[in-house]
Amino acid sequence: MVFQIKNSNENKRKMTVFIICSLLFIVVAVPFRYFFPIFTISEMRPASALPPVFGMMFGFWGALGAAFGNLISDIIAGYPLSILIVGFLAQFLFGYIAYKLWYGISLNGKFTFPRLDSVNNLLKFIIVIIITSVTMTWLICFIIGSLGFSDFSSLTSLILLFNNFNFSMIIGAIIISIANVFGIKMHKPIKPKKMYLSGKIFDLSIIISTIIGLVYTFYSFFYNQNYYIFNVGVIFYLLIIFYVFKPIEIDIINKKTKVTLTELFILVFINLGAVVAVSNGIEDFYSFQHITNLVSFWLKIYNDMAINIVIFYIFSIVILWYIEKNITTPIESMSEAAEDYIQSENKIMDSSSIISQINQFVDNSNECGILSRSLIRMIEYIKKYMKNLEKVTSERERINTELNIAAKIQEAALPKEFLRTDDFEVYALFEPAKEVGGDFYDFFLIDDDHLAIVIGDVSGKGIPAALFMMVSKSLLKNEAKFGMKPNHIFNIVNNQLAVDNDENMFLTAWMGILELSTGKLEFTNAGHNPPLIKNNSQKYEFLKSRANFVLGPMENINYDNNELQLTKGDKILLYTDGISESINKDKEFFGEEKIANILNNSNLDIKESLIKIKNGVDNFAEGLEQFDDITMLILKYK
């Protein structure tokens, strides 16, 4: 089914090409048959440019379309049946030979679709046009000579030759260039799976036919005779027909690229050449009105146009060759190399090959040489930069890995199994920021009747803060096990942290020890945020106390001890400044009052209370990235 659909689409495309080529030929040919006749069976024929161009672009169906368009035009003009038949055959061969020649001639070892994007391809186009124009002239002359309309070598023959050559050079080159600018899809030859005859045998046939044409031209010219013209013409036709069966033996480069700088220069010169040739032809048309013989009149015009075209293209090719060699090719090559470098996934590895592509233009003395040297220096600089970046990135990845490990160690050090007994219930929430910080919480039973709760926030970020946190947490827990009051614990731990603390790191902390049997809570605050407590008033309020100096910067600091009596149902919330200092897009702080408001406007258990506070912070931040750890601990005395 897929094959049938594909085959159907291909047939539609071929018929579309055939119809369009036929219509275009008719539209161009018919007006000139009425307004610019030359002799009985011919006229001024700009349409002669179409068969070789359509053949090169669209292959068999392009050549057939042009031949059919010629047939319809001849019928409209009322030409004899013999001219209709041979004209159809000659026009088809005119187009199809051009197709075979384009894919059979190579000046640089490469075969592409018809495209005038280099001086080599322009020369190749000119060669194809010369060969096909001469061959077409012989095809027609053998026919009209055999039918007695004209001698083989005559002024008529020259008019046919100049007509085919002039208009193919003027119009044909422009059509091919415009087709490529607009990206018109061209026919891609199919390489046969098996070759029955060598391509050289087919090439030999067109060489022999060319020799026959030349020999008979000289014979007819010098002896003014058409002896054996029919027999020679049959042989000539058979050789040409045999050649068009030549299979395409090469692979076509099907690289779709944008219009190149060289191609634009060639297009400008082609259009300029067309303007020069047409202007010359118009001038001659009005200058030679005194020539009464129509054949001589048109021969004079065509001859001048051909001379102008030849001279113009000779100079153009020299100029274009210089431009291509010294300007456009270096610029296009460097542009392509730069594009390859941009697309490269490994710029360090590929930079050497890119530089080697550009290096061939370094010795140029013009601006292209300066540009190539600058481009090489830029690539070398980028290479050096990429190596440094790769080194820095590798180091950063290593550091990030270590930070992730540190964060996991930090989080693992915090208790995850929350205590719930008949006397109390404790729950905590820890949400680390992207960067490793120093927040921590802890709760533990010192003995059967005493519960310690601790929260702390170390200054700074990263590995040092995480290490300082781990040490601080361990020291606080170890000293608490001896049954001391919170202020004494802070006195000892502060002195321990201050030893060899050259970086002046510190932490804020709040520690409370609850006597479960009586509800007495002793606590000490070392520069930390005031807790929120809910007691008999049924409302969360800030637990005011003297905020002592932080732990760690200096020794021998005396910390105050505070006492508070809890009753059944009382709750106390500890938190870090990661909550109160959370900001939104307007750079506003969340603040401590919002924490109290959230708790006072809800009646939730201790776990759900912490979750509600966290959700409130997230909604307030409006999607901004969390820059500090969020840590909370809540205790309920039963």
Side-chain angles (χ1 to χ4, degrees), residues 197-210:
L197 290 175
S198 171
K200 294 181 180 179
I201 296 176
F202 295 94
D203 293 335
L204 183 61
S205 69
I206 198 168
I207 292 172
I208 294 173
S209 67
T210 303

Side-chain angles (χ1 to χ4, degrees), residues 431-469:
E431 187 73 29
K434 186 176 181 181
E435 190 174 359
V436 176
D439 280 17
F440 70 92
Y441 66 85
D442 203 357
F443 53 87
F444 50 89
L445 287 168
I446 298 173
D447 53 41
D448 293 339
D449 195 37
H450 291 86
L451 171 69
I453 55 174
V454 184
I455 194 167
D457 186 0
V458 176
S459 63
K461 303 288 182 185
I463 300 294
L467 291 174
F468 199 78
M469 179 275 284

Side-chain angles (χ1 to χ4, degrees), residues 162-191:
F162 287 146
N163 183 89
N164 294 333
F165 174 76
N166 291 351
F167 287 115
S168 294
M169 292 298 297
I170 294 170
I171 301 175
I174 294 176
I175 292 175
I176 288 179
S177 296
I178 292 176
N180 281 286
V181 169
F182 287 96
I184 294 176
K185 185 178 180 180
M186 300 184 187
H187 173 69
K188 183 178 181 180
I190 300 175
K191 188 176 180 180

Side-chain angles (χ1 to χ4, degrees), residues 214-271:
L214 288 171
V215 170
Y216 200 83
T217 298
F218 286 116
Y219 168 79
S220 177
F221 178 78
F222 286 108
Y223 293 97
N224 197 25
Q225 294 178 351
N226 287 342
Y227 290 149
Y228 307 110
I229 188 171
F230 178 79
N231 297 334
V232 176
V234 170
I235 295 173
F236 185 84
Y237 265 82
L238 290 175
L239 288 170
I240 294 299
I241 292 171
F242 178 74
Y243 176 74
V244 298
F245 283 97
K246 178 186 177 181
I248 305 298
E249 303 177 85
I250 43 81
D251 293 317
I252 309 301
I253 298 174
N254 187 18
K255 185 179 181 181
K256 294 182 179 180
T257 59
K258 59 184 180 180
V259 178
T260 63
L261 190 58
T262 304
E263 195 168 4
L264 289 176
F265 271 106
I266 291 174
L267 183 58
V268 169
F269 274 86
I270 286 172
N271 282 282

Side-chain angles (χ1 to χ4, degrees), residues 456-567:
D457 186 0
V458 176
S459 63
K461 303 288 182 185
I463 300 294
L467 291 174
F468 199 78
M469 179 275 284
M470 295 289 288
V471 172
S472 301
K473 178 178 176 298
S474 298
L475 290 175
L476 288 170
K477 188 172 185 177
N478 289 339
E479 295 301 326
K481 291 293 185 180
F482 293 107
M484 295 181 290
K485 295 182 180 297
N487 64 322
H488 294 152
I489 296 172
F490 276 17
N491 290 337
I492 296 172
V493 170
N494 175 66
N495 290 336
Q496 292 173 329
L497 291 175
V499 176
D500 297 327
N501 187 6
D502 297 331
E503 300 299 325
N504 289 320
M505 296 191 70
F506 64 89
L507 79 148
T508 65
W510 191 98
M511 184 178 204
I513 297 176
L514 174 63
E515 189 174 51
L516 300 176
S517 59
T518 63
K520 184 178 74 172
L521 176 67
E522 295 183 281
F523 63 92
T524 299
N525 187 346
H528 199 75
N529 304 76
L532 280 161
I533 185 168
K534 181 179 181 181
N535 48 31
N536 293 330
S537 66
Q538 299 298 312
K539 182 179 179 181
Y540 279 95
E541 296 177 343
F542 289 102
L543 180 59
K544 301 296 184 180
S545 65
R546 181 184 175 186
N548 296 279
F549 196 58
V550 296
L551 300 175
M554 61 180 66
E555 297 177 281
N556 301 321
I557 301 294
N558 292 318
Y559 293 89
D560 295 331
N561 195 63
N562 302 277
E563 289 187 8
L564 177 69
Q565 184 62 45
L566 298 182
T567 59

